[in-house]
Amino acid sequence: RSLRFVTLVYRHGDRSPIKAFPRDPYQESAWPQGFGQLTQVGMRQQWELGQALRRRYRDFLSDTYRRQEIFIRSTDCDRTLMSAEANLAGLYPPGGQQMFNPNISWQPIPVHTVPESDERLLKFPLTPCPRYEQLQTETRHSAEYINKTKENWQFLQMVAKETGIRDISLESVWSVYDTLFCEQTHKMDLPAWVTPDVMTQLKQLKDFGFEFLFGIHNRVEKARLQGGVLLDHIRKNLTKAANVSAHQNLKLLAYSAHDTTLVALQMALDVYNKIQAPYASCHLFELYQEDDGNFSVEMFYRNESGKEPFPLTIPDCQHKCPLQRFLELTDPVVPQDWEQECKV
Ligand SMILES: CCCNC(=O)[C@H](O)[C@@H](O)C(=O)O
């Protein structure tokens, strides 16, 4: 059997906080490049992912960059554009001939994007979509959501007071954890109220926030309106790759995106492990042509550096999933007409 086509979806590397809460001792000036920017830790994480992919696909990709075999698209965000560039530096270190300067072991490779206002594929949740908002309202009335709010009411009040955020909720608390996580990662002293137990509880609430976005209530319909849009695009490319002759050049499609991109996609595939996609984590789709000529799809998830990606299996299929079966099983979470299905 032979590997015919690969699609990658990865989260950017380590970044500075998106924002600071009002009473945070560290405001934007505390960060070298300000908020939301890829750090050198993040650049290294992406370069390392690129090197791991180079090893994994050393017999699949040409060892020198060939423009027809790879296409990279990123959201129009500094951290994702820079992540893709760092990733490519690891994936395609130029061989002798390709070095445009003998002192620089790097070559430019295009990273495509669309303006943020036109991004309809890689940034989630996709809005505006009235039906999705309706599902979110229904989710807020679910027992799970109401209980979670009740169980954490005192805690959320404490966090509101300590942070100076007035309207804190299960849906906004993610950014308190995120900011503190970034500060902790970069060895900045945390305020005294942030004990290890507080961080643990904040992390749990942050993870619940991701569940709220794409699950808890009516996961399948939420998937049709969210992650299923990206999955539809990926399915179309897998099907196209299975229908062109073997020397079809495009071998690798890479999408440089966000944690919500990976979570939306994995919720649609029903393979989400309930843990926020880590920095530079990568979901892999590999299309194989078997000896009998049929095609199968294998999925992997690399969410720990230095470890091999682990196999992901879509429910009701085996890890090596025949393409037709993969398409049948994912039909329910792919929108027929997104605009129409968003109408209420
Ligand atoms: C409103 C802030 C949205 N957050 C982002 O864009 C981040 O990149 C986030 O998705 C991430 O992956 O860290």
Side-chain angles (χ1 to χ4, degrees):
R1 77 179 193 152
S2 64
L3 179 58
R4 291 288 302 282
F5 179 65
V6 174
T7 293
L8 307 173
V9 183
Y10 53 76
R11 182 190 178 195
H12 54 70
D14 179 275
R15 59 162 168 74
S16 56
I18 301 291
K19 57 189 172 190
F21 47 83
R23 299 186 63 208
D24 191 339
Y26 308 107
Q27 296 295 316
E28 183 143 28
S29 56
W31 299 92
Q33 301 291 346
F35 287 149
Q37 294 297 316
L38 193 70
T39 64
Q40 289 193 5
V41 172
M43 295 170 195
R44 285 191 289 272
Q45 289 169 338
Q46 277 294 343
W47 184 83
E48 195 265 332
L49 173 60
Q51 287 276 296
L53 294 168
R54 165 54 52 192
R55 290 191 296 273
R56 185 180 182 90
Y57 298 126
R58 74 179 160 281
D59 301 330
F60 174 59
L61 293 174
S62 324
D63 54 10
T64 56
Y65 166 68
R66 292 181 50 225
R67 60 177 291 274
Q68 307 92 330
E69 73 176 28
I70 178 169
F71 183 88
I72 305 98
R73 173 175 166 171
S74 167
T75 55
D76 192 16
C77 215
D78 293 356
R79 56 187 172 275
T80 49
L81 290 163
M82 291 163 73
S83 287
E85 290 160 15
N87 185 290
L88 289 165
L91 183 56
Y92 281 101
Q97 287 303 312
Q98 288 208 309
M99 293 174 83
F100 69 91
N101 177 323
N103 303 317
I104 301 175
S105 59
W106 168 82
Q107 62 185 324
I109 294 173
V111 176
H112 299 272
T113 191
V114 299
E116 198 154 5
S117 52
D118 299 342
E119 179 61 66
R120 315 289 310 138
L121 184 69
L122 296 177
K123 188 88 164 120
F124 293 90
L126 285 172
T127 54
C129 177
R131 176 59 185 151
Y132 174 69
E133 297 311 328
Q134 207 170 48
L135 291 171
Q136 293 306 83
T137 301
E138 290 169 12
T139 309
R140 291 187 190 95
H141 293 111
S142 69
E144 193 168 346
Y145 186 94
I146 292 171
N147 290 341
K148 199 74 173 179
T149 304
K150 277 185 189 156
E151 287 156 17
N152 292 279
W153 186 250
Q154 284 297 89
F155 179 80
L156 288 169
Q157 295 315 306
M158 177 277 288
V159 173
K161 183 169 66 64
E162 296 294 351
T163 58
I165 300 174
R166 298 158 51 80
D167 59 344
I168 204 144
S169 76
L170 287 180
E171 295 163 57
S172 64
V173 71
W174 68 268
S175 79
V176 176
Y177 175 80
D178 181 78
T179 301
L180 294 169
F181 174 78
C182 293
E183 291 167 358
Q184 187 174 58
T185 305
H186 291 271
K187 312 229 178 321
M188 296 153 95
D189 294 337
L190 297 184
W193 63 273
V194 185
T195 64
D197 286 352
V198 163
M199 271 307 261
T200 302
Q201 196 163 348
L202 282 172
K203 182 172 185 179
Q204 279 170 356
L205 296 180
K206 176 264 300 178
D207 286 332
F208 183 82
F210 280 101
E211 296 276 312
F212 168 74
L213 284 177
F214 306 113
I216 295 181
H217 164 67
N218 211 332
R219 179 190 67 82
V220 171
E221 192 178 358
K222 285 190 185 184
R224 292 177 71 91
L225 304 174
Q226 297 297 333
V229 171
L230 173 55
L231 182 53
D232 185 26
H233 180 81
I234 291 169
R235 285 175 11 137
K236 285 183 167 73
N237 289 322
L238 290 168
T239 305
K240 201 186 308 176
N243 291 315
V244 292
S245 58
H247 61 269
Q248 137 81 14
N249 284 314
L250 185 64
K251 291 184 174 181
L252 179 71
L253 264 176
Y255 296 113
S256 181
H258 304 263
D259 51 9
T260 45
T261 315
L262 280 145
V263 176
L265 177 65
Q266 293 182 339
M267 280 284 234
L269 288 159
D270 203 6
V271 297
Y272 180 51
N273 64 3
K274 294 181 182 270
I275 299 165
Q276 175 188 11
Y279 288 135
S281 54
C282 183
H283 186 112
L284 300 82
F285 295 85
E286 294 179 347
L287 180 75
Y288 289 89
Q289 181 160 28
E290 305 302 328
D291 295 339
D292 66 5
N294 293 321
F295 288 88
S296 58
V297 182
E298 297 188 10
M299 298 192 297
F300 298 84
Y301 187 36
R302 186 176 194 268
N303 65 352
E304 270 189 271
S305 66
K307 291 241 178 88
E308 281 306 295
F310 63 85
L312 287 177
T313 303
I314 192 165
D316 292 338
C317 203
Q318 57 274 28
H319 176 245
K320 183 165 88 171
C321 191
L323 178 59
Q324 285 321 314
R325 184 78 181 117
F326 181 85
L327 297 174
E328 277 162 27
L329 288 170
T330 50
D331 274 340
V333 291
V334 163
Q336 292 310 306
D337 177 341
W338 188 80
E339 301 282 342
Q340 187 56 36
E341 296 186 29
C342 279
K343 289 195 175 95
V344 293

